[in-house]
Amino acid sequence: MTTTPAAEPLLDVQPTPLALLLLGRDADPDSERGVECPGDLPAASDPDLVERARAAKARLGDRVFILGHHYQRDEVIEFADVTGDSFKLARDAAARPEAEYIVFCGVHFMAESADILTSEQQQVVLPDLAAGCSMADMATADQVAECWDVLTDAGIAETTVPVSYMNSSADIKSFTGRHGGTICTSSNARRALEWAFEQGEKVLFLPDQHLGRNTAVRELGLSLDDCVVYNPHKPGGGLTAEQLRAAKMILWRGHCSVHGRFSLESVNDVRARVPGVTVLVHPECKHEVVAAADQVGSTEYIIKALDAAPAGSKWAIGTELNLVRRLAKAHPDKEIVFLDRTVCFCSTMNRIDLPHLVWALESLADGRVVNRIQVDPDTEKYAKAALDRMLALP
């Protein structure tokens, strides 16, 4: 297997001050707990795998539909039939009922969502079962059930509506559906919260505290004092019944291990280094980062903003590095830098590589279904109810 020299740049650009900064090797002790950097990407795949992937995909023809999340590496994106964020890809899969196999190049919760939204005849495959999501793993079914008991004991469960981010497990989506709540994406979080507050007095927002806080404060006009953080690792969530009763937003203590790295210092530093830069960040970033940015938006928003930006404009982007690197290559007429000096790729997303994709495709072509993702019928029923509520939002 060939390897990529350590000195090879991440972008095909000259190392100017405005070039995308390279991946750092060290963790930032000031970032949130659970945020760490595994180092460089794994070694480059064997070039022969490209031909094998093409051959296997050709053998399968219309029987296979390959989905590629924006954070996937380029060697995987090359074989994707469609690219997008997690919910867009799940909907794209549902819109292709003729595809017998859905190969989801993303992470586990995304493949679950695709299984929920596709027909029983379609089979969803995740090329590497180790491709998980640290944020989704921060809320388990048992922990959330215990939280609901705490809210019940505080006398507020009946007036609390759960809203779960798309980046959650099928179990959490099912819990949300069972309790009359809805799912949201980073694009429609405001609409989801407005709907929830029409149904009840409080919202339990799972599992990303930052998206919930940023949406409530920036877009709904709530104050930071209206928000409390429920810590599943502390008795009662680390909150008193009085604090729960006074709060409007009960935020789960979860976060994205990539977006959680960006800091206010990152924003101040890039402004000093790049005069006239526009700072654009994802709403999964911390509140102080979002407050200091010029623009805030979902992955799709970031892509569209750069597509529409004028030549010569300068941008510092706070989201996953694979996507930013790809955007910098696609827009050589614009100066695109990474928001932080040392930032990780999404290590679990990067578990989907060309060897795993080739193995999955060749297995399917040979009649063997590997790494199938199946959500049990009861979980699927209530998870789909929550997803359907989101689809019905105005």
Side-chain angles (χ1 to χ4, degrees), residues 19-276:
L20 183 66
L21 295 174
L22 303 185
L23 176 67
R25 295 180 178 275
D26 298 323
D28 180 356
D30 295 326
S31 62
E32 290 187 60
R33 189 175 181 182
V35 179
E36 57 187 25
C37 187
D40 289 332
L41 285 169
S45 299
D46 187 330
D48 292 341
L49 290 174
V50 173
E51 292 305 319
R52 289 174 60 181
R54 289 173 180 163
K57 187 176 181 182
R59 287 172 61 194
L60 287 162
D62 292 339
R63 296 172 61 207
V64 70
F65 192 49
I66 303 177
L67 310 175
H69 191 272
H70 286 309
Y71 296 168
Q72 287 291 307
R73 51 175 100 204
D74 290 346
E75 67 186 48
V76 171
I77 290 294
E78 177 182 350
F79 293 96
D81 294 303
V82 293
T83 60
D85 61 15
S86 58
F87 185 61
K88 175 183 180 296
L89 293 177
R91 293 188 71 179
D92 286 343
R96 290 290 293 266
E98 71 278 8
E100 183 179 348
Y101 306 118
I102 306 296
V103 177
F104 208 124
C105 297
V107 293
H108 197 274
F109 78 80
M110 300 177 187
E112 287 182 329
S113 297
D115 184 59
I116 291 167
L117 293 175
T118 52
S119 69
E120 293 183 5
Q121 290 71 38
Q122 294 175 288
Q123 301 182 73
V124 178
V125 169
L126 184 65
D128 187 348
L129 292 180
C133 172
S134 59
M135 180 200 295
D137 292 342
M138 290 177 189
T140 68
D142 289 343
Q143 289 173 332
V144 175
E146 182 178 344
C147 172
W148 199 252
D149 288 341
V150 171
L151 301 188
T152 300
D153 291 343
I156 61 171
E158 290 187 358
T159 58
T160 300
V161 178
V163 175
S164 292
Y165 191 20
M166 193 71 182
N167 299 27
S168 59
S169 68
D171 286 338
I172 301 308
K173 290 183 176 72
S174 182
F175 164 88
T176 304
R178 286 177 185 272
H179 292 87
T182 187
I183 307 302
C184 76
T185 69
S186 53
S187 298
N188 68 5
R190 175 177 180 169
R191 294 202 302 276
L193 287 182
E194 288 173 339
W195 174 88
F197 280 117
E198 291 172 359
Q199 316 306 311
E201 299 175 5
K202 304 174 186 294
V203 167
L204 171 63
F205 195 90
L206 301 151
D208 179 26
Q209 60 170 306
H210 299 309
L211 177 62
R213 181 185 295 107
N214 290 328
T215 306
V217 174
R218 293 183 66 255
E219 301 192 48
L220 268 64
L222 275 65
S223 71
L224 292 175
D225 291 338
D226 291 322
C227 306
V228 295
V229 177
Y230 182 96
N231 186 343
H233 303 293
K234 292 184 177 181
L239 299 167
T240 65
E242 290 73 20
Q243 287 175 309
L244 289 168
R245 295 185 192 112
K248 293 184 178 179
M249 289 286 295
I250 302 168
L251 307 169
W252 192 263
R253 190 177 182 272
H255 64 271
C256 170
S257 295
V258 172
H259 292 108
R261 281 191 56 85
F262 299 114
S263 65
L264 181 58
E265 182 182 4
S266 303
V267 178
N268 294 334
D269 178 69
V270 80
R271 290 197 191 281
R273 289 185 291 107
V274 188

